[in-house]
Structures are given as C-alpha cells and as structure tokens.
Amino acid sequence: MAVEVIHEGATILLRLSNGPVNALSVGNGFVGDIMAKVRLAVSDPACRTIVVTGAGRMFCGGADISDFDGDPAQIGLLRDLIAAVEDSGKPVIMAIHGMALGGGLELAMAGHVRIAQAGSRLGLPEVTLGLLPGAGGTQRLARLIGAGAALDMMLSGKPVTAERALSLGLVDQLVDGDVVEAALEVARNAPPLRRTGALPVPADLGEAIEGRRAKLRGGLSQAPTRIIDCVAALSDDLAAGLALEAELFGELMRSEASRGLRHAFFGERTVARIPGLSGDVRPREVRHVGVIGGGLMGTGITLALLNAGVPVTMVELRADALAKAEASIRKTIQRDVEKGRIDQAVADARIAAFTPATELDALSDADLVIEAVFEDMGVKKQVFSALDAITRPDAILASNTSTLDLDAIAALVADPSRVVGLHFFSPANIMRLLEVVRGRETAPDVLATAMAFGKRVGKVSVVSGVCDGFIGNRMFEEYLRQVWFMLEEGALPQQIDAAMERWGMAMGPCRTMDLAGQDIGWAIRKRRAVEQPDRPYSGVIDRICELSRFGQKTGKGIYVYPDGRTAEPDPEITKLIEDYSAEIGLTRRAISDEEIVSRCLLALINEGARIVGDGIAYRPVDVDMIYLHGYGFGRERGGPMFQADLMGLPAMLDRLRTLAAGRNGWAWTPAPLIEQLAAKGGRFEDLNIQG
Ligand code: T1G
C-alpha cells in the first residue's frame, strides 16, 4: 500500500497503490495516507496543480468493502478526503484508466477535472452490495450528468464506458494515449476550480425521481429506495444532502441485505481458493475439449463452453441425436443474436468452434473430456473404459455425474488421478454454479485445472468431496424431506412455495421439483429407501409420482400446467394430500409460513454443517455459494450458513433440539459441528478464513 508522490514541475502527481484494485481502505491506513499527501501538496507553495492516478490496472475499484464490517465511523475519513480534494484551493485533476468504481469514482468526482483513458469504465455499483454511494456519490453524480442518468447508473450499479461518460459529462476529456501525460498537460495550463458540489441542482430532478420511484421492485434491500431518497434531497445545501446520505448509508450498511450481499461478494472469491494446495501447483493447459453426450446436459455444457470461447468437439454416438443437439446449439446461439446479446460475427465464431463427431476417436488429442451420458454406472463404465484407451495419458477425464460415486467411476481407468467431477447445473449454459468434485485419487493439478477451467467458462466453481448428492443435492434432499412432511402434516404446496418465495427463494420447492422432474426425485427416494431405510420420506409425494405426474414436462405434477409453463394448484392434488393425511391417521393442522421457512432453512443448515464437518465442503461459505448460484437462494440472504450465523448458533441449536423431540425427530439430530461451535460461542464465519 503506498501513495507515490512525484514532482512534475509545479504539479504534484499522486499515484495510489493498494492491492489489485487500489481499494480505498480506511482500515489499513491507505485513505489516511492519501489525505496526508493531499494536504502536503495543497500546502506546498511550489505546487500549483495536483494530479491523482491509480497504480496497476485501474484507477480505483472502490472503498474497501471489508471496512464496512468494522467501525461504521471509518468511512467518515473517506468523506473527509473527498471534501479536502473538492475544497482544495489548487486544481486537482483525476487521471482515470481501467476502472473507477464506487468510492473511487466518488473521489474522482470531487476532482475539478476528470480525464479518462479510452476503454476505461466508471460506475457506482454500491446497490449490488445493498448500499448506496456513501461518499458523496448521490449528491455529485446528478450534478454532473443530470438526475435521470445518475439514478440509472446508481440503481443499476452498472458501469458506463469512458466514451459514454464523456457524452454524459462525467468526464471532461477522453484520451487514447497515456492518461497521466494528458493530465499533466492539462495541469500545466492551470484549469479552473470547477467544484462539483457547487454545481446547481439538475433541472430534471422532479421527473427523474417520480419516474424511477414508480418502477421500484420489492426485495429485502432498501438500497434502491434510499438512493432515490438521497437524490430527491438534492438542494443548494450540499452539506445537508451529504448528511442525509451518510445517515442512510449507515442504515444500509447494518442491514441484513447488505451484509448478505457483501458476504456473497467475498464468498465468490474465497471458494476459488483450495486450502492446502501449494502455490507451485499449476493448472494444465486446456485447448481442446471434448463433451460426450448430446442430451440436455451435454448440449448445455457445450453451449456454456462455446459461449466462453472454448472450442468443443461433441461426441454423440447416435447420428440423429447428434444432429438434434447441433440444431439446438445453433438455434440457441442464433437466439442470442436476435435478442441483441451478441452480434452475428460472434455467433458465427461460436458455431465454427463446434465440431460434431460420432466416434470417441475424435477425442484422441483432447486435453479435457467432459462426460455427460446417461446416469447409469454401466454406461459410464463403457465410456470411461474407452476413453482410457483413446485419450492421451495426460488428458483430464471429467464426469458430470450428479448421483453416482465419482471414485467408482475413477476406478474404471488405469490412472484415477486424472479423473475429476464437473457437476454442471441445468441449464448448464445459464446456471453459474459448478461443483468441482475431487475424487479420492484426483491429482492436485487436475483439481486446480478444473477450478481454473470453471472460472474460464464463467462459473462459480466450488470444490466438493465425494458423497451422495455432493454438497447441493445432499442438502436439498433434507430440505425436500421437510417439505413432503409438511404436506402430510397440514400445509399445501402453494402455501409452502409462496412462503419460501416471499422469504427470498427464487422458486418454491414444489415448483422446483415440478420443473426438474418429479421422477428424478422419485428415483433418489427409491434408491435411498434401500440404502437408508431408517430415514423415510413422507409417502405423499410418491403417491403423486405413482400417477405419472412428473411435473411440467408431463403437463402435470404437484401443479397442473394448462399452457405448458404456468403452474396452477390442482384440487385433485389437494384432495390426494388430504386423503393421505387421513390414511396415515394424521389430523392436519395449520402450519404457519414462519414454521415453513424455519424448517426448510434449518434442514439446509443442519445438513450443510454435516457436510462441512465431514470435510466434503472446505468451508461454510462454500455451502453458501452453492446455494446462491445453484439453488436460487436469495443473494440478499447470503446463504444457509450465513443465515445460521444471523440466528446465532446457540439459539439455532435449541430450535433443532426442540424439533428433534417432535414428530420425525430423527431427522433433526443436530450436526456435531453445530454443537461444537455453539458450545464455544463460535460462528460458521470463523471457519471461512481458510485457504
Ligand atoms: N474492497 C475490497 N476488496 C476488493 C474490492 C473492494 N472494493 N474489489 C476487489 N477486491 C478484492 C477481491 O476480493 C479480490 O481479492 C481482489 O480484490 C481482486 O478482485 C463508499 C460504499 C474491481 C471489477 O463494488 O467489482 O465504494 O480474492 O477478483 O475480476 O460509496 O473486483 O484476490 O483476495 O474481483 O479483476 C464499491 C467491487 C465498493 C467493486 C475487478 N466497489 N470489485 O475485478 O478482480 S463499496 C465495488 C469488483 C464503495 C462507497 C462505496 C471487482 C473489479 P482476493 P477480483 P477482477
């Protein structure tokens, strides 16, 4: 961390350097150091102008998000720095390259001139963290570019290009060359002291506020409405606006939604770190990738790779299935052109990177082969035995299996160390989660290659050990177990789904299983009835499956789908559920939404704690990221384990023990890890620091 001071004639250049994004950290003294250097320059009689720039690849990625878990007053120092810049009696010129985000852009807006390098991007992404721009952004951006454009930037959180910033008036000059040189040139001509905070209130304020307040959607985070409140408070009294912004920022910083979103931000980066993997382990190069299987998963995986610019050879032994897969791939890519997501040239390049084949020999030179054939060990055995002979010994063999034992699959080849699991989630070209399953024999560099490849294709990759259902599905089974019990005890599907969706799940459990296919859940329950006879599910859901009501794909499941997509409650199912309760001699009772949410959450948390305790997941945050990116768990809620820390483990343990004393209490035996942490006043967060 450093603030380099360079004297260029009568100009002092300050180059900010603090880690990969020059985060404006108060906690590590960086902001204090900048403040000291600004004050020195302002008081230096030989200095007429100041230029500020960022070291490395960007101007500044924002305030240090980790500061917000500390003393809330810390951010006051950043506000003081920004005021000192704007009130400086000497022109301060901001030389922007790479990115200027959040507090970084707020600092830049306090400058008197902003020069941006072509290709750089500027934005206020705070809303994505459940925050508002808390260092003057709500009061300065609108003064520079108008209230409507400012609200659009702050409510979307999306950065704009330097070119767009110039047209908006957010920057004063755009340069192709060296932005520092350009800034020094401007400095030599002593530009005027144009103070952003002194600019008038934008004329479009009234209409901008009204229009956007009307379009606000619900949600846990209050950041959008608070951003509008701050802009609505714009007046000639800048201090008053800044005071309101500071007050509302503090409120948001302490909110559950912001804490959850900040947990997600860091969590997505923590899971990329593999504990114990020595730094000299290098991922293997992956140039030629093969996908085996032209079904739903094989096609989705192929699309995900093509969309990430990875050439793919798809091997599908049946020519008709291969042709169908190729047509589906072409159609999906072309639809992206029609929707304006990509241009035709990009689409053509993606399609050109696709090679269909009907023989496994086509993969003889592949660096990585991803198997996505039918979930049957016999079929896997045929494929992996053939791959063992056909592929190079250093080729990585990955299975997309979601239910089979990866170690058993690895045992099918001579060198099991080259086998890893790449469990994509359907639709694989949309869902960001990738469970990277490390087998007992998986080599460290194979695991590292899988993680690097997952990142390359835009996935949030999370390592899982080998167990039934890995991390996500193993927890989901305990979640569903409670859902089916609640059906027989007194709840109806539409009540359960509505309660969970109101709480923050993207889709309720009943609707989710209708979408995934009730037959898939049925097969798992049948297998588990043999493997775990002492852990029965309610039979009510099997009664629905026995009617061949497998969900949306059959037009009927728990719900009916008159138009093939819209789920509607079915009185026939209501009657089936009520009759089932009577059949097992259970008097139905009213179950509150609170109980529904609590039992669903606790089921996830308890099994998640077992999974961490068993070493299947490295950390609790890995479990959280799997639920945010694979199961529609509300991002503002942070994840199941994050929610447990909010509840407090001792209180949660009491709840588990109460449930364990009740009906089907065997399902609620507290995970040992919960008992261990609760006993010492610990939190799951304490275990997230590894790696
Ligand atoms: N604070 C702390 N750490 C940060 C950070 C930040 N703002 N931005 C990045 N990092 C860390 C990140 O955790 C990772 O750490 C490393 O830097 C590289 O990040 C007062 C309240 C800038 C687009 O929301 O979007 O200003 O894992 O892998 O892919 O109003 O980082 O290596 O240990 O993401 O090249 C507003 C957040 C903050 C931008 C670069 N700013 N950052 O992407 O690298 S709040 C943001 C990003 C604020 C003010 C408000 C991206 C990036 P590690 P990376 P990247």
Side-chain angles (χ1 to χ4, degrees):
M1 171 274 277
V3 180
E4 200 181 348
V5 180
I6 300 137
H7 293 269
E8 294 279 351
T11 299
I12 285 184
L13 170 63
L14 301 179
R15 179 172 281 116
L16 314 183
S17 175
N18 182 30
V21 304
N22 300 325
L24 293 172
S25 304
V26 174
N28 76 351
F30 185 51
V31 169
D33 193 13
I34 302 169
M35 175 71 107
K37 301 287 177 23
V38 166
R39 283 187 170 141
L40 273 175
V42 169
S43 61
D44 179 345
C47 167
R48 284 203 351 241
T49 319
I50 300 165
V51 170
V52 179
T53 190
R57 58 195 171 100
M58 69 180 72
F59 178 76
C60 173
D64 185 335
I65 300 168
S66 58
D67 273 351
F68 306 138
D69 293 325
D71 171 8
Q74 282 199 114
I75 189 175
L77 190 55
L78 176 58
R79 295 183 183 121
D80 295 345
L81 167 64
I82 285 173
V85 166
E86 182 165 84
D87 299 342
S88 157
K90 301 175 179 177
V92 181
I93 301 159
M94 300 290 173
I96 296 165
H97 74 293
M99 305 198 81
L101 298 178
L105 180 56
E106 289 173 302
L107 175 63
M109 288 194 287
H112 307 104
V113 181
R114 278 159 298 284
I115 303 175
Q117 191 164 54
S120 52
R121 288 183 293 150
L122 304 87
L124 293 177
E126 287 85 343
V127 72
T128 65
L129 298 168
L131 297 171
L132 56 79
T138 67
Q139 303 301 302
R140 291 191 172 89
L141 185 61
R143 284 180 157 86
L144 283 170
I145 69 174
L151 281 168
D152 290 345
M153 275 185 71
M154 288 187 278
L155 291 173
S156 71
K158 290 188 172 41
V160 297
T161 62
E163 292 71 15
R164 172 78 174 139
L166 180 68
S167 66
L168 286 170
L170 179 53
V171 300
D172 306 294
Q173 190 180 336
L174 194 61
V175 293
D176 288 323
D178 183 332
V179 69
V180 172
E181 279 312 312
L184 292 171
E185 178 58 26
V186 169
R188 283 188 277 273
N189 297 314
L193 279 172
R194 180 176 176 254
R195 291 190 171 92
T196 307
L199 294 176
V201 170
D204 69 335
L205 182 59
E207 61 173 323
I209 294 297
E210 191 182 326
R212 283 158 188 81
R213 214 186 271 286
K215 282 190 287 187
L216 276 184
R217 286 175 294 109
L220 192 64
S221 172
Q222 290 304 302
T225 190
R226 293 300 186 222
I227 286 169
I228 294 175
D229 291 345
C230 287
V231 175
L234 276 170
S235 74
D236 295 338
D237 183 350
L238 175 68
L242 292 175
L244 175 67
E245 177 192 271
E247 180 199 337
L248 297 182
F249 177 83
E251 172 198 299
L252 293 176
M253 196 180 77
R254 290 184 293 276
S255 70
E256 175 182 341
S258 183
R259 291 169 62 194
L261 289 166
R262 298 188 327 248
H263 175 72
F265 175 85
F266 285 119
E268 287 157 354
R269 291 154 177 83
T270 301
V271 297
R273 290 194 279 272
I274 299 176
L277 192 69
S278 60
D280 58 7
V281 171
R282 287 278 164 271
R284 297 180 191 176
E285 193 174 1
V286 176
R287 294 176 314 281
H288 180 192
V289 180
V291 172
I292 304 176
L296 181 69
M297 285 311 293
T299 303
I301 294 168
T302 300
L303 271 168
L305 274 51
L306 294 174
N307 292 347
V310 176
V312 178
T313 298
M314 173 188 273
V315 176
E316 168 51 65
L317 304 183
R318 293 167 300 144
D320 60 335
L322 181 62
K324 188 170 170 242
E326 180 169 0
S328 168
I329 287 165
R330 287 175 177 275
K331 184 179 166 202
T332 304
I333 291 175
Q334 201 54 41
R335 193 186 310 136
D336 284 343
V337 176
E338 288 151 17
K339 295 198 172 190
R341 294 179 187 140
I342 56 174
D343 63 28
Q344 192 59 51
V346 170
D348 295 344
R350 289 179 180 174
I351 290 168
F354 172 72
T355 305
T358 55
E359 300 292 335
L360 285 175
D361 289 341
L363 304 181
S364 60
D365 191 36
D367 303 303
L368 166 67
V369 179
I370 304 171
E371 164 272 315
V373 299
F374 188 63
E375 277 291 87
D376 171 88
M377 195 50 101
V379 177
K380 307 282 188 194
K381 184 174 174 50
Q382 288 172 355
V383 169
F384 277 84
S385 303
L387 287 174
D388 203 16
I390 290 165
T391 57
R392 298 195 326 257
D394 65 326
I396 293 173
L397 306 180
S399 172
N400 175 59
T401 186
S402 57
T403 59
L404 300 176
D405 180 344
L406 184 83
D407 289 329
I409 292 172
L412 299 171
V413 301
D415 175 12
S417 76
R418 64 180 179 135
V419 176
V420 68
L422 289 181
H423 178 212
F424 290 83
F425 283 69
S426 184
N429 54 313
I430 305 292
M431 297 296 281
R432 285 197 67 200
L433 178 60
L434 176 64
E435 277 184 325
V436 176
V437 184
R438 73 176 188 282
R440 195 176 33 249
E441 309 285 338
T442 301
D445 72 322
V446 170
L447 189 61
T449 306
M451 293 296 280
F453 184 74
K455 179 167 184 171
R456 178 179 166 195
V457 298
K459 301 299 181 186
V460 175
S461 309
V462 184
V463 175
S464 171
V466 176
C467 69
D468 180 6
F470 305 133
I471 296 172
N473 286 342
R474 174 170 155 184
M475 290 167 63
F476 205 66
E477 280 306 308
E478 295 312 314
Y479 173 75
L480 291 177
R481 185 193 309 283
Q482 292 308 315
V483 171
W484 309 144
F485 278 148
M486 285 190 278
L487 288 182
E488 71 179 26
E489 290 170 18
L492 288 175
Q494 51 271 33
Q495 181 201 359
I496 292 175
D497 283 358
M500 294 312 291
E501 288 167 18
R502 264 195 302 275
W503 184 83
M505 298 296 286
M507 186 181 282
C510 301
R511 178 79 185 82
T512 297
M513 287 313 294
D514 264 8
L515 186 61
Q518 294 288 358
D519 49 333
I520 291 173
W522 198 17
I524 291 171
R525 291 192 299 276
K526 285 177 182 171
R527 173 169 58 81
R528 285 187 165 205
V530 174
E531 294 168 358
Q532 303 171 11
D534 57 341
R535 296 179 64 82
Y537 295 78
S538 163
V540 69
I541 184 62
D542 292 349
R543 294 292 171 87
I544 294 171
C545 293
E546 285 154 11
L547 301 173
S548 299
R549 293 181 62 133
F550 296 139
Q552 188 171 315
K553 63 187 175 186
T554 57
K556 285 184 177 183
I558 286 181
Y559 298 103
V560 288
Y561 297 85
D563 64 359
R565 291 180 59 84
T566 311
E568 288 185 9
D570 183 351
E572 190 182 321
I573 293 297
T574 301
K575 186 176 183 311
L576 179 150
I577 292 169
E578 289 169 348
D579 290 349
Y580 182 82
S581 302
E583 182 187 323
I584 62 173
L586 194 56
T587 304
R588 293 179 65 80
R589 66 181 175 87
I591 297 183
S592 68
D593 288 0
E594 187 279 333
E595 180 180 345
I596 290 170
V597 172
S598 175
R599 282 172 64 175
C600 286
L601 260 186
L602 287 172
L604 290 173
I605 294 164
N606 201 29
E607 197 59 27
R610 280 191 209 293
I611 285 168
V612 175
D614 292 350
I616 295 295
Y618 288 136
R619 302 153 288 237
V621 69
D622 294 60
V623 172
D624 286 336
M625 292 309 105
I626 281 184
Y627 263 72
L628 295 190
H629 291 286
Y631 292 82
F633 198 97
R635 185 178 178 82
E636 294 168 342
R637 298 285 190 177
M641 315 313 273
F642 179 82
Q643 283 294 316
D645 280 346
L646 290 185
M647 287 179 215
L649 297 193
M652 195 187 71
L653 181 54
D654 288 346
R655 184 96 175 83
L656 285 172
R657 286 175 173 153
T658 303
L659 289 165
R663 185 172 186 271
N664 294 315
W666 51 267
W668 292 112
T669 306
L673 179 61
I674 292 174
E675 292 180 314
Q676 291 154 22
L677 288 171
K680 60 183 182 181
R683 304 180 313 152
F684 286 126
E685 178 62 20
D686 305 339
L687 306 178
N688 287 336
I689 51 176
Q690 305 159 27

